[in-house]
Amino acid sequence: MTMSNKKNLLLQITDDGSSTLFNEMMGENYHSHFGAVGESMHIFIEAGLKYFYKRAAKNEVLNILEVGFGTGLNALLTYIYNKEKGIKTNYKSYEPYPVSHSQVMLLNYCDLLGVDKDLLWSLHSGDINRSDKKFFIEISNNLFEKATLKSDTFDIVYFDAFSPDAQSELWTPDVMKKVYNAMKNCSVLTTYSCKGDVKRALKGAGFKIEKLPGPPGKREFLRAVKEEL
Protein backbone atom coordinates (compact mmCIF):
# COMPACT_ATOMS: atom_id res chain seq x y z
CA MET A 1 0.00 0.00 0.00
CA THR A 2 1.63 3.23 -1.17
CA MET A 3 0.51 6.77 -1.87
CA SER A 4 2.34 9.97 -2.63
CA ASN A 5 1.88 12.85 -0.21
CA LYS A 6 4.83 15.10 -0.99
CA LYS A 7 7.52 15.36 -3.64
CA ASN A 8 10.30 12.86 -2.90
CA LEU A 9 8.39 11.19 -0.04
CA LEU A 10 5.92 8.32 -0.22
CA LEU A 11 3.76 7.07 2.62
CA GLN A 12 3.88 3.29 3.05
CA ILE A 13 2.35 0.74 5.41
CA THR A 14 4.82 -1.82 6.76
CA ASP A 15 4.18 -5.44 7.61
CA ASP A 16 3.27 -4.80 11.27
CA GLY A 17 0.63 -2.25 10.23
CA SER A 18 2.69 0.82 11.14
CA SER A 19 3.52 3.47 8.58
CA THR A 20 6.82 4.75 7.27
CA LEU A 21 8.04 7.08 4.57
CA PHE A 22 10.07 6.23 1.49
CA ASN A 23 12.56 8.94 0.56
CA GLU A 24 12.92 8.90 -3.21
CA MET A 25 15.99 11.13 -3.13
CA MET A 26 17.82 8.73 -0.78
CA GLY A 27 16.22 5.63 -2.30
CA GLU A 28 15.43 4.29 1.18
CA ASN A 29 12.65 3.95 3.74
CA TYR A 30 12.91 5.66 7.10
CA HIS A 31 12.09 2.28 8.66
CA SER A 32 12.08 -1.40 7.76
CA HIS A 33 9.20 -2.45 5.50
CA PHE A 34 8.91 -5.53 7.76
CA GLY A 35 7.64 -3.26 10.55
CA ALA A 36 8.43 0.33 11.50
CA VAL A 37 7.32 0.19 15.15
CA GLY A 38 8.68 -3.32 15.57
CA GLU A 39 12.12 -2.33 14.28
CA SER A 40 12.36 0.79 16.44
CA MET A 41 11.21 -1.05 19.54
CA HIS A 42 13.69 -3.89 19.00
CA ILE A 43 16.82 -1.89 18.13
CA PHE A 44 16.48 1.44 19.90
CA ILE A 45 14.06 0.97 22.80
CA GLU A 46 14.73 -2.60 23.97
CA ALA A 47 18.45 -2.83 23.13
CA GLY A 48 19.24 0.83 23.80
CA LEU A 49 16.94 2.68 26.18
CA LYS A 50 15.74 -0.21 28.34
CA TYR A 51 19.17 -1.88 28.35
CA PHE A 52 20.83 1.29 29.61
CA TYR A 53 18.10 2.06 32.11
CA LYS A 54 18.42 -1.36 33.74
CA ARG A 55 22.22 -1.37 33.92
CA ALA A 56 22.55 2.25 35.08
CA ALA A 57 20.70 1.81 38.38
CA LYS A 58 17.66 3.61 37.02
CA ASN A 59 19.03 7.11 36.43
CA GLU A 60 16.51 9.84 37.24
CA VAL A 61 17.62 11.91 34.22
CA LEU A 62 18.55 10.57 30.79
CA ASN A 63 20.38 12.50 28.09
CA ILE A 64 19.66 11.03 24.67
CA LEU A 65 21.20 11.84 21.29
CA GLU A 66 19.54 10.76 18.05
CA VAL A 67 21.28 11.02 14.69
CA GLY A 68 18.46 11.24 12.16
CA PHE A 69 15.11 12.28 13.68
CA GLY A 70 13.16 11.25 10.57
CA THR A 71 9.54 10.45 11.34
CA GLY A 72 10.05 10.97 15.08
CA LEU A 73 9.12 7.37 15.88
CA ASN A 74 12.11 6.75 18.16
CA ALA A 75 11.36 9.93 20.09
CA LEU A 76 7.70 8.97 20.43
CA LEU A 77 8.50 5.50 21.76
CA THR A 78 11.06 6.99 24.13
CA TYR A 79 8.55 9.53 25.39
CA ILE A 80 5.92 6.86 26.07
CA TYR A 81 8.36 4.62 27.97
CA ASN A 82 10.01 7.41 29.95
CA LYS A 83 6.63 8.95 30.81
CA GLU A 84 5.52 5.62 32.25
CA LYS A 85 8.72 5.34 34.30
CA GLY A 86 8.74 8.98 35.40
CA ILE A 87 12.19 9.55 33.88
CA LYS A 88 13.24 13.12 33.18
CA THR A 89 14.63 13.23 29.65
CA ASN A 90 16.76 15.62 27.62
CA TYR A 91 16.47 14.58 23.96
CA LYS A 92 18.75 16.07 21.32
CA SER A 93 18.45 15.18 17.65
CA TYR A 94 19.88 16.26 14.31
CA GLU A 95 17.65 16.31 11.25
CA PRO A 96 18.63 18.62 8.36
CA TYR A 97 15.61 17.52 6.28
CA PRO A 98 12.59 17.70 8.61
CA VAL A 99 9.31 16.00 7.76
CA SER A 100 6.43 18.44 7.25
CA HIS A 101 3.40 18.75 9.50
CA SER A 102 1.09 17.36 6.81
CA GLN A 103 3.23 14.25 6.45
CA VAL A 104 3.62 13.72 10.19
CA MET A 105 -0.15 13.80 10.59
CA LEU A 106 -0.50 10.95 8.05
CA LEU A 107 1.68 8.63 10.12
CA ASN A 108 -0.39 6.20 12.19
CA TYR A 109 1.90 5.67 15.19
CA CYS A 110 -0.25 7.52 17.72
CA ASP A 111 -3.34 5.52 16.79
CA LEU A 112 -1.47 2.22 17.01
CA LEU A 113 0.16 3.10 20.33
CA GLY A 114 -3.00 4.51 21.91
CA VAL A 115 -1.75 8.04 22.56
CA ASP A 116 -3.02 11.49 21.63
CA LYS A 117 -2.88 11.98 17.85
CA ASP A 118 -1.09 15.33 18.26
CA LEU A 119 1.73 13.92 20.40
CA LEU A 120 3.97 13.03 17.48
CA TRP A 121 3.80 16.53 16.03
CA SER A 122 4.39 18.09 19.44
CA LEU A 123 7.71 16.23 19.49
CA HIS A 124 8.61 17.37 15.98
CA SER A 125 7.72 20.98 16.73
CA GLY A 126 9.08 21.14 20.27
CA ASP A 127 5.64 22.04 21.66
CA ILE A 128 6.08 19.18 24.15
CA ASN A 129 8.57 21.39 26.00
CA ARG A 130 5.70 23.62 27.13
CA SER A 131 3.32 20.86 28.16
CA ASP A 132 5.61 18.32 29.83
CA LYS A 133 8.32 19.54 32.18
CA LYS A 134 9.95 16.10 32.33
CA PHE A 135 10.68 15.81 28.61
CA PHE A 136 12.77 18.41 26.81
CA ILE A 137 13.50 17.99 23.11
CA GLU A 138 15.76 19.96 20.82
CA ILE A 139 15.98 19.20 17.10
CA SER A 140 18.77 20.85 15.14
CA ASN A 141 18.48 21.27 11.38
CA ASN A 142 22.27 21.47 11.05
CA LEU A 143 24.31 18.73 9.42
CA PHE A 144 25.44 16.32 12.11
CA GLU A 145 28.87 15.76 10.59
CA LYS A 146 29.56 19.49 11.10
CA ALA A 147 28.10 19.71 14.60
CA THR A 148 30.15 20.37 17.71
CA LEU A 149 29.13 18.19 20.65
CA LYS A 150 29.91 18.77 24.29
CA SER A 151 32.01 15.96 25.77
CA ASP A 152 30.74 13.55 28.41
CA THR A 153 27.07 14.44 27.85
CA PHE A 154 24.92 11.58 26.52
CA ASP A 155 23.76 8.36 28.16
CA ILE A 156 22.13 6.84 25.07
CA VAL A 157 22.66 7.34 21.34
CA TYR A 158 20.24 6.23 18.64
CA PHE A 159 22.31 6.20 15.46
CA ASP A 160 19.48 6.09 12.93
CA ALA A 161 20.69 7.96 9.87
CA PHE A 162 20.09 6.66 6.36
CA SER A 163 22.40 3.80 5.42
CA PRO A 164 26.15 4.14 4.82
CA ASP A 165 25.44 3.77 1.10
CA ALA A 166 23.08 6.77 1.15
CA GLN A 167 24.82 8.98 3.75
CA SER A 168 28.42 7.83 3.92
CA GLU A 169 29.48 11.12 5.51
CA LEU A 170 27.67 10.17 8.75
CA TRP A 171 29.32 6.79 9.26
CA THR A 172 32.99 7.78 9.17
CA PRO A 173 35.61 7.09 11.85
CA ASP A 174 35.75 10.83 12.61
CA VAL A 175 32.00 11.02 13.24
CA MET A 176 32.04 7.94 15.44
CA LYS A 177 34.92 9.36 17.45
CA LYS A 178 32.98 12.59 17.90
CA VAL A 179 29.99 10.62 19.17
CA TYR A 180 32.21 8.56 21.48
CA ASN A 181 33.70 11.68 23.03
CA ALA A 182 30.23 13.15 23.58
CA MET A 183 29.05 10.08 25.51
CA LYS A 184 29.40 9.39 29.21
CA ASN A 185 31.25 6.38 30.56
CA CYS A 186 29.09 3.21 30.40
CA SER A 187 26.75 4.84 27.89
CA VAL A 188 25.12 2.89 25.05
CA LEU A 189 24.76 3.37 21.28
CA THR A 190 22.55 1.25 19.05
CA THR A 191 22.27 1.21 15.28
CA TYR A 192 20.59 -0.98 12.71
CA SER A 193 23.69 -1.15 10.51
CA CYS A 194 26.05 -4.08 10.88
CA LYS A 195 28.37 -3.31 7.96
CA GLY A 196 32.06 -4.03 8.33
CA ASP A 197 33.03 -0.38 7.87
CA VAL A 198 30.60 0.63 10.62
CA LYS A 199 31.97 -1.97 13.02
CA ARG A 200 35.53 -0.86 12.30
CA ALA A 201 34.65 2.81 12.78
CA LEU A 202 32.98 2.10 16.13
CA LYS A 203 35.87 -0.07 17.34
CA GLY A 204 38.39 2.50 16.18
CA ALA A 205 36.58 5.18 18.17
CA GLY A 206 36.95 3.08 21.33
CA PHE A 207 33.59 1.36 21.61
CA LYS A 208 33.08 -2.22 22.75
CA ILE A 209 30.63 -3.61 20.19
CA GLU A 210 28.37 -6.63 20.04
CA LYS A 211 26.18 -8.06 17.30
CA LEU A 212 22.62 -8.84 18.41
CA PRO A 213 19.80 -10.75 16.69
CA GLY A 214 17.79 -8.37 14.58
CA PRO A 215 14.05 -7.74 14.25
CA PRO A 216 12.02 -9.46 11.52
CA GLY A 217 13.73 -9.11 8.17
CA LYS A 218 17.14 -8.27 9.65
CA ARG A 219 19.66 -10.86 10.81
CA GLU A 220 21.79 -8.66 13.08
CA PHE A 221 22.29 -5.15 14.40
CA LEU A 222 24.92 -3.46 16.58
CA ARG A 223 25.08 -2.26 20.16
CA ALA A 224 28.17 -0.31 21.21
CA VAL A 225 29.11 0.53 24.79
CA LYS A 226 31.59 3.15 25.96
CA GLU A 227 33.52 1.68 28.85
CA GLU A 228 36.62 3.48 30.05
CA LEU A 229 38.91 2.45 32.90
Side-chain angles (χ1 to χ4, degrees), residues 21-71:
L21 297 171
F22 177 77
N23 188 306
E24 291 183 315
M25 181 176 67
M26 293 293 182
E28 295 185 353
N29 288 326
Y30 283 89
H31 308 284
S32 168
H33 68 85
F34 288 97
V37 169
E39 178 192 43
S40 290
M41 281 296 301
H42 188 100
I43 295 174
F44 299 106
I45 305 305
E46 296 291 342
L49 174 61
K50 292 185 180 181
Y51 174 80
F52 176 83
Y53 186 59
K54 290 175 182 176
R55 77 196 293 263
K58 296 181 173 54
N59 287 25
E60 292 184 359
V61 180
L62 291 181
N63 296 312
I64 299 175
L65 171 66
E66 181 178 29
V67 182
F69 192 76
T71 65

Short mmCIF file of all heavy atoms in Angstrom, two decimals, residues 21-71:
data_model
loop_
_atom_site.label_atom_id
_atom_site.label_comp_id
_atom_site.label_asym_id
_atom_site.label_seq_id
_atom_site.Cartn_x
_atom_site.Cartn_y
_atom_site.Cartn_z
N LEU A 21 7.91 6.26 5.76
CA LEU A 21 8.04 7.08 4.57
C LEU A 21 9.19 6.54 3.72
O LEU A 21 10.23 6.13 4.25
CB LEU A 21 8.32 8.54 4.93
CG LEU A 21 7.23 9.27 5.71
CD1 LEU A 21 7.74 10.62 6.20
CD2 LEU A 21 5.99 9.45 4.86
N PHE A 22 9.00 6.57 2.42
CA PHE A 22 10.07 6.23 1.49
C PHE A 22 10.61 7.52 0.91
O PHE A 22 9.86 8.33 0.35
CB PHE A 22 9.57 5.32 0.37
CG PHE A 22 10.62 5.00 -0.65
CD1 PHE A 22 11.60 4.06 -0.38
CD2 PHE A 22 10.64 5.65 -1.89
CE1 PHE A 22 12.58 3.75 -1.32
CE2 PHE A 22 11.62 5.35 -2.83
CZ PHE A 22 12.59 4.41 -2.55
N ASN A 23 11.92 7.74 1.07
CA ASN A 23 12.56 8.94 0.56
C ASN A 23 13.13 8.64 -0.82
O ASN A 23 14.11 7.91 -0.95
CB ASN A 23 13.66 9.38 1.54
CG ASN A 23 14.26 10.73 1.18
OD1 ASN A 23 14.71 10.94 0.07
ND2 ASN A 23 14.28 11.62 2.15
N GLU A 24 12.49 9.18 -1.85
CA GLU A 24 12.92 8.90 -3.21
C GLU A 24 14.31 9.43 -3.51
O GLU A 24 15.07 8.83 -4.28
CB GLU A 24 11.92 9.49 -4.21
CG GLU A 24 10.57 8.79 -4.20
CD GLU A 24 9.63 9.34 -5.25
OE1 GLU A 24 9.54 10.59 -5.37
OE2 GLU A 24 8.99 8.55 -5.95
N MET A 25 14.68 10.56 -2.90
CA MET A 25 15.99 11.13 -3.13
C MET A 25 17.09 10.21 -2.58
O MET A 25 18.12 9.99 -3.22
CB MET A 25 16.09 12.50 -2.46
CG MET A 25 17.43 13.21 -2.67
SD MET A 25 17.44 14.88 -1.97
CE MET A 25 17.33 14.50 -0.21
N MET A 26 16.86 9.64 -1.39
CA MET A 26 17.82 8.73 -0.78
C MET A 26 17.67 7.30 -1.30
O MET A 26 18.58 6.49 -1.20
CB MET A 26 17.65 8.72 0.74
CG MET A 26 18.02 10.02 1.42
SD MET A 26 19.78 10.38 1.30
CE MET A 26 19.86 11.92 2.22
N GLY A 27 16.48 6.99 -1.82
CA GLY A 27 16.22 5.63 -2.30
C GLY A 27 16.02 4.65 -1.16
O GLY A 27 16.24 3.44 -1.34
N GLU A 28 15.57 5.14 0.00
CA GLU A 28 15.43 4.29 1.18
C GLU A 28 14.21 4.67 1.99
O GLU A 28 13.76 5.83 1.99
CB GLU A 28 16.67 4.40 2.08
CG GLU A 28 17.94 3.86 1.46
CD GLU A 28 19.11 3.87 2.41
OE1 GLU A 28 18.99 4.41 3.54
OE2 GLU A 28 20.17 3.34 2.04
N ASN A 29 13.68 3.68 2.74
CA ASN A 29 12.65 3.95 3.74
C ASN A 29 13.28 4.52 5.00
O ASN A 29 14.45 4.28 5.30
CB ASN A 29 11.93 2.65 4.13
CG ASN A 29 11.02 2.14 3.05
OD1 ASN A 29 10.40 2.91 2.32
ND2 ASN A 29 10.93 0.83 2.93
N TYR A 30 12.47 5.23 5.78
CA TYR A 30 12.91 5.66 7.10
C TYR A 30 12.96 4.48 8.07
O TYR A 30 13.68 4.52 9.06
CB TYR A 30 11.98 6.74 7.65
CG TYR A 30 12.21 8.11 7.05
CD1 TYR A 30 11.54 8.50 5.89
CD2 TYR A 30 13.08 9.01 7.64
CE1 TYR A 30 11.74 9.75 5.34
CE2 TYR A 30 13.29 10.27 7.10
CZ TYR A 30 12.62 10.64 5.94
OH TYR A 30 12.82 11.87 5.39
N HIS A 31 12.16 3.46 7.79
CA HIS A 31 12.09 2.28 8.66
C HIS A 31 12.01 1.02 7.81
O HIS A 31 11.74 1.08 6.61
CB HIS A 31 10.87 2.35 9.58
CG HIS A 31 10.76 3.62 10.34
ND1 HIS A 31 11.54 3.89 11.44
CD2 HIS A 31 9.97 4.71 10.16
CE1 HIS A 31 11.23 5.09 11.91
NE2 HIS A 31 10.29 5.60 11.15
N SER A 32 12.17 -0.11 8.45
CA SER A 32 12.08 -1.40 7.76
C SER A 32 10.66 -1.64 7.25
O SER A 32 9.68 -1.40 7.97
CB SER A 32 12.47 -2.53 8.71
OG SER A 32 12.13 -3.79 8.17
N HIS A 33 10.54 -2.14 6.03
CA HIS A 33 9.20 -2.45 5.50
C HIS A 33 8.62 -3.68 6.19
O HIS A 33 7.44 -3.98 6.05
CB HIS A 33 9.24 -2.65 3.98
CG HIS A 33 9.98 -3.86 3.53
ND1 HIS A 33 9.40 -5.10 3.45
CD2 HIS A 33 11.28 -4.03 3.13
CE1 HIS A 33 10.27 -5.98 3.02
NE2 HIS A 33 11.43 -5.37 2.82
N PHE A 34 9.42 -4.41 6.98
CA PHE A 34 8.91 -5.53 7.76
C PHE A 34 8.15 -5.06 9.01
O PHE A 34 7.44 -5.85 9.63
CB PHE A 34 10.06 -6.44 8.20
CG PHE A 34 10.65 -7.24 7.07
CD1 PHE A 34 11.78 -6.80 6.42
CD2 PHE A 34 10.05 -8.42 6.64
CE1 PHE A 34 12.34 -7.52 5.37
CE2 PHE A 34 10.59 -9.15 5.59
CZ PHE A 34 11.73 -8.69 4.95
N GLY A 35 8.34 -3.79 9.39
CA GLY A 35 7.64 -3.26 10.55
C GLY A 35 8.36 -2.08 11.14
O GLY A 35 9.43 -2.24 11.72
N ALA A 36 7.78 -0.89 11.01
CA ALA A 36 8.43 0.33 11.50
C ALA A 36 8.49 0.34 13.03
O ALA A 36 9.56 0.49 13.63
CB ALA A 36 7.69 1.56 10.99
N VAL A 37 7.35 0.18 13.68
CA VAL A 37 7.32 0.19 15.15
C VAL A 37 8.12 -0.98 15.70
O VAL A 37 8.88 -0.83 16.66
CB VAL A 37 5.87 0.17 15.67
CG1 VAL A 37 5.84 -0.08 17.18
CG2 VAL A 37 5.18 1.50 15.36
N GLY A 38 7.96 -2.15 15.10
CA GLY A 38 8.68 -3.32 15.57
C GLY A 38 10.19 -3.14 15.52
O GLY A 38 10.91 -3.51 16.45
N GLU A 39 10.69 -2.57 14.43
CA GLU A 39 12.12 -2.33 14.28
C GLU A 39 12.63 -1.34 15.33
O GLU A 39 13.65 -1.57 15.98
CB GLU A 39 12.43 -1.80 12.88
CG GLU A 39 13.91 -1.48 12.67
CD GLU A 39 14.15 -0.69 11.40
OE1 GLU A 39 13.37 0.25 11.11
OE2 GLU A 39 15.12 -1.01 10.70
N SER A 40 11.93 -0.22 15.48
CA SER A 40 12.36 0.79 16.44
C SER A 40 12.33 0.27 17.87
O SER A 40 13.25 0.54 18.66
CB SER A 40 11.48 2.04 16.32
OG SER A 40 11.74 2.72 15.11
N MET A 41 11.29 -0.48 18.20
CA MET A 41 11.21 -1.05 19.54
C MET A 41 12.38 -2.01 19.79
O MET A 41 13.01 -1.97 20.85
CB MET A 41 9.89 -1.80 19.72
CG MET A 41 8.69 -0.91 19.99
SD MET A 41 8.77 0.01 21.55
CE MET A 41 8.92 -1.33 22.73
N HIS A 42 12.67 -2.85 18.84
CA HIS A 42 13.69 -3.89 19.00
C HIS A 42 15.09 -3.29 19.12
O HIS A 42 15.85 -3.65 20.03
CB HIS A 42 13.63 -4.83 17.80
CG HIS A 42 14.49 -6.04 17.91
ND1 HIS A 42 13.99 -7.28 18.27
CD2 HIS A 42 15.83 -6.23 17.74
CE1 HIS A 42 14.98 -8.17 18.31
NE2 HIS A 42 16.11 -7.55 17.98
N ILE A 43 15.44 -2.39 18.21
CA ILE A 43 16.82 -1.89 18.13
C ILE A 43 17.08 -0.74 19.08
O ILE A 43 18.11 -0.72 19.78
CB ILE A 43 17.14 -1.47 16.68
CG1 ILE A 43 17.09 -2.70 15.76
CG2 ILE A 43 18.49 -0.77 16.60
CD1 ILE A 43 17.26 -2.38 14.29
N PHE A 44 16.18 0.22 19.15
CA PHE A 44 16.48 1.44 19.90
C PHE A 44 15.88 1.46 21.31
O PHE A 44 16.53 1.95 22.24
CB PHE A 44 16.02 2.66 19.10
CG PHE A 44 16.73 2.77 17.77
CD1 PHE A 44 16.07 2.46 16.60
CD2 PHE A 44 18.06 3.12 17.72
CE1 PHE A 44 16.73 2.53 15.38
CE2 PHE A 44 18.74 3.19 16.51
CZ PHE A 44 18.07 2.89 15.33
N ILE A 45 14.69 0.93 21.48
CA ILE A 45 14.06 0.97 22.80
C ILE A 45 14.51 -0.21 23.66
O ILE A 45 15.03 -0.03 24.77
CB ILE A 45 12.53 1.01 22.68
CG1 ILE A 45 12.09 2.18 21.78
CG2 ILE A 45 11.91 1.12 24.07
CD1 ILE A 45 12.61 3.55 22.21
N GLU A 46 14.35 -1.42 23.17
CA GLU A 46 14.73 -2.60 23.97
C GLU A 46 16.24 -2.70 24.16
O GLU A 46 16.72 -2.85 25.29
CB GLU A 46 14.20 -3.87 23.30
CG GLU A 46 12.69 -3.97 23.23
CD GLU A 46 12.03 -4.16 24.59
OE1 GLU A 46 12.73 -4.56 25.54
OE2 GLU A 46 10.81 -3.91 24.69
N ALA A 47 17.00 -2.61 23.06
CA ALA A 47 18.45 -2.83 23.13
C ALA A 47 19.22 -1.58 23.53
O ALA A 47 20.38 -1.68 23.93
CB ALA A 47 18.97 -3.32 21.78
N GLY A 48 18.58 -0.41 23.44
CA GLY A 48 19.24 0.83 23.80
C GLY A 48 18.71 1.43 25.09
O GLY A 48 19.36 1.35 26.14
N LEU A 49 17.53 1.99 25.03
CA LEU A 49 16.94 2.68 26.18
C LEU A 49 16.75 1.77 27.39
O LEU A 49 17.23 2.06 28.49
CB LEU A 49 15.61 3.30 25.75
CG LEU A 49 14.76 3.95 26.85
CD1 LEU A 49 15.50 5.11 27.49
CD2 LEU A 49 13.42 4.41 26.28
N LYS A 50 16.03 0.67 27.20
CA LYS A 50 15.74 -0.21 28.34
C LYS A 50 17.01 -0.88 28.85
O LYS A 50 17.18 -1.06 30.07
CB LYS A 50 14.70 -1.25 27.95
CG LYS A 50 13.32 -0.66 27.69
CD LYS A 50 12.30 -1.78 27.44
CE LYS A 50 10.92 -1.22 27.16
NZ LYS A 50 9.92 -2.29 26.94
N TYR A 51 17.90 -1.27 27.96
CA TYR A 51 19.17 -1.88 28.35
C TYR A 51 19.97 -0.93 29.23
O TYR A 51 20.47 -1.31 30.30
CB TYR A 51 19.96 -2.26 27.11
CG TYR A 51 21.35 -2.77 27.38
CD1 TYR A 51 21.57 -4.08 27.78
CD2 TYR A 51 22.45 -1.94 27.21
CE1 TYR A 51 22.85 -4.56 28.02
CE2 TYR A 51 23.74 -2.40 27.44
CZ TYR A 51 23.93 -3.71 27.85
OH TYR A 51 25.20 -4.16 28.08
N PHE A 52 20.08 0.33 28.81
CA PHE A 52 20.83 1.29 29.61
C PHE A 52 20.15 1.55 30.94
O PHE A 52 20.79 1.59 32.00
CB PHE A 52 21.01 2.61 28.87
CG PHE A 52 21.69 3.67 29.71
CD1 PHE A 52 23.07 3.69 29.80
CD2 PHE A 52 20.95 4.58 30.44
CE1 PHE A 52 23.71 4.64 30.61
CE2 PHE A 52 21.57 5.52 31.23
CZ PHE A 52 22.96 5.55 31.32
N TYR A 53 18.84 1.72 30.90
CA TYR A 53 18.10 2.06 32.11
C TYR A 53 18.26 0.99 33.18
O TYR A 53 18.42 1.29 34.37
CB TYR A 53 16.62 2.25 31.76
CG TYR A 53 15.76 2.73 32.91
CD1 TYR A 53 16.05 3.93 33.56
CD2 TYR A 53 14.66 1.99 33.33
CE1 TYR A 53 15.24 4.37 34.60
CE2 TYR A 53 13.86 2.43 34.37
CZ TYR A 53 14.16 3.62 35.00
OH TYR A 53 13.37 4.05 36.03
N LYS A 54 18.27 -0.26 32.78
CA LYS A 54 18.42 -1.36 33.74
C LYS A 54 19.83 -1.43 34.31
O LYS A 54 20.03 -1.69 35.49
CB LYS A 54 18.05 -2.68 33.07
CG LYS A 54 16.58 -2.82 32.78
CD LYS A 54 16.30 -4.11 32.01
CE LYS A 54 14.81 -4.23 31.67
NZ LYS A 54 14.53 -5.43 30.84
N ARG A 55 20.84 -1.21 33.46
CA ARG A 55 22.22 -1.37 33.92
C ARG A 55 22.76 -0.12 34.61
O ARG A 55 23.81 -0.18 35.24
CB ARG A 55 23.13 -1.76 32.74
CG ARG A 55 23.51 -0.63 31.82
CD ARG A 55 24.07 -1.15 30.49
NE ARG A 55 25.34 -1.82 30.64
CZ ARG A 55 26.53 -1.25 30.43
NH1 ARG A 55 26.60 0.03 30.11
NH2 ARG A 55 27.64 -1.96 30.55
N ALA A 56 22.05 1.00 34.51
CA ALA A 56 22.55 2.25 35.08
C ALA A 56 21.86 2.61 36.38
O ALA A 56 21.80 3.78 36.75
CB ALA A 56 22.38 3.38 34.07
N ALA A 57 21.33 1.60 37.06
CA ALA A 57 20.70 1.81 38.38
C ALA A 57 19.57 2.84 38.30
O ALA A 57 19.37 3.64 39.21
CB ALA A 57 21.73 2.24 39.40
N LYS A 58 18.86 2.79 37.17
CA LYS A 58 17.66 3.61 37.02
C LYS A 58 17.94 5.10 37.25
O LYS A 58 17.41 5.73 38.16
CB LYS A 58 16.55 3.11 37.94
CG LYS A 58 16.09 1.70 37.59
CD LYS A 58 14.97 1.24 38.50
CE LYS A 58 14.40 -0.09 38.05
NZ LYS A 58 15.37 -1.15 37.88
N ASN A 59 18.75 5.67 36.38
CA ASN A 59 19.03 7.11 36.43
C ASN A 59 17.73 7.91 36.42
O ASN A 59 16.78 7.57 35.74
CB ASN A 59 19.85 7.53 35.21
CG ASN A 59 21.28 7.06 35.28
OD1 ASN A 59 21.58 6.06 35.95
ND2 ASN A 59 22.17 7.75 34.61
N GLU A 60 17.71 8.99 37.19
CA GLU A 60 16.51 9.84 37.24
C GLU A 60 16.44 10.78 36.04
O GLU A 60 15.37 11.28 35.71
CB GLU A 60 16.51 10.63 38.54
CG GLU A 60 16.31 9.77 39.78
CD GLU A 60 16.21 10.58 41.05
OE1 GLU A 60 16.32 11.82 40.96
OE2 GLU A 60 16.02 9.99 42.12
N VAL A 61 17.58 11.04 35.40
CA VAL A 61 17.62 11.91 34.22
C VAL A 61 18.41 11.19 33.13
O VAL A 61 19.50 10.67 33.39
CB VAL A 61 18.29 13.26 34.53
CG1 VAL A 61 18.31 14.13 33.27
CG2 VAL A 61 17.57 13.98 35.65
N LEU A 62 17.86 11.17 31.92
CA LEU A 62 18.55 10.57 30.79
C LEU A 62 18.80 11.62 29.72
O LEU A 62 17.90 12.40 29.37
CB LEU A 62 17.72 9.44 30.18
CG LEU A 62 17.54 8.17 31.02
CD1 LEU A 62 16.71 7.16 30.23
CD2 LEU A 62 18.88 7.56 31.40
N ASN A 63 20.02 11.64 29.21
CA ASN A 63 20.38 12.50 28.09
C ASN A 63 20.55 11.63 26.85
O ASN A 63 21.41 10.75 26.82
CB ASN A 63 21.68 13.25 28.39
CG ASN A 63 21.53 14.20 29.56
OD1 ASN A 63 20.57 14.96 29.63
ND2 ASN A 63 22.45 14.14 30.51
N ILE A 64 19.72 11.88 25.86
CA ILE A 64 19.66 11.03 24.67
C ILE A 64 20.01 11.84 23.44
O ILE A 64 19.53 12.97 23.25
CB ILE A 64 18.27 10.40 24.51
CG1 ILE A 64 17.95 9.52 25.72
CG2 ILE A 64 18.17 9.60 23.21
CD1 ILE A 64 16.54 8.96 25.72
N LEU A 65 20.86 11.26 22.58
CA LEU A 65 21.20 11.84 21.29
C LEU A 65 20.66 10.93 20.19
O LEU A 65 20.88 9.72 20.23
CB LEU A 65 22.72 11.97 21.15
CG LEU A 65 23.25 12.37 19.76
CD1 LEU A 65 22.82 13.78 19.39
CD2 LEU A 65 24.77 12.23 19.72
N GLU A 66 19.98 11.52 19.22
CA GLU A 66 19.54 10.76 18.05
C GLU A 66 20.12 11.39 16.80
O GLU A 66 19.94 12.59 16.56
CB GLU A 66 18.02 10.70 17.94
CG GLU A 66 17.57 9.88 16.74
CD GLU A 66 16.06 9.77 16.62
OE1 GLU A 66 15.34 10.68 17.06
OE2 GLU A 66 15.61 8.75 16.07
N VAL A 67 20.77 10.57 15.98
CA VAL A 67 21.28 11.02 14.69
C VAL A 67 20.28 10.58 13.64
O VAL A 67 20.18 9.39 13.30
CB VAL A 67 22.68 10.42 14.41
CG1 VAL A 67 23.20 10.94 13.07
CG2 VAL A 67 23.64 10.77 15.54
N GLY A 68 19.49 11.54 13.14
CA GLY A 68 18.46 11.24 12.16
C GLY A 68 17.09 11.15 12.80
O GLY A 68 16.61 10.05 13.10
N PHE A 69 16.42 12.28 13.01
CA PHE A 69 15.11 12.28 13.68
C PHE A 69 14.03 11.64 12.81
O PHE A 69 13.15 10.94 13.32
CB PHE A 69 14.72 13.72 14.03
CG PHE A 69 13.54 13.81 14.95
CD1 PHE A 69 13.67 13.54 16.30
CD2 PHE A 69 12.30 14.19 14.47
CE1 PHE A 69 12.58 13.63 17.16
CE2 PHE A 69 11.21 14.29 15.31
CZ PHE A 69 11.35 14.02 16.66
N GLY A 70 14.09 11.90 11.51
CA GLY A 70 13.16 11.25 10.57
C GLY A 70 11.70 11.46 10.90
O GLY A 70 11.23 12.58 11.05
N THR A 71 10.97 10.38 11.04
CA THR A 71 9.54 10.45 11.34
C THR A 71 9.25 10.80 12.80
O THR A 71 8.10 11.09 13.15
CB THR A 71 8.85 9.11 11.03
OG1 THR A 71 9.36 8.11 11.92
CG2 THR A 71 9.07 8.68 9.59
#
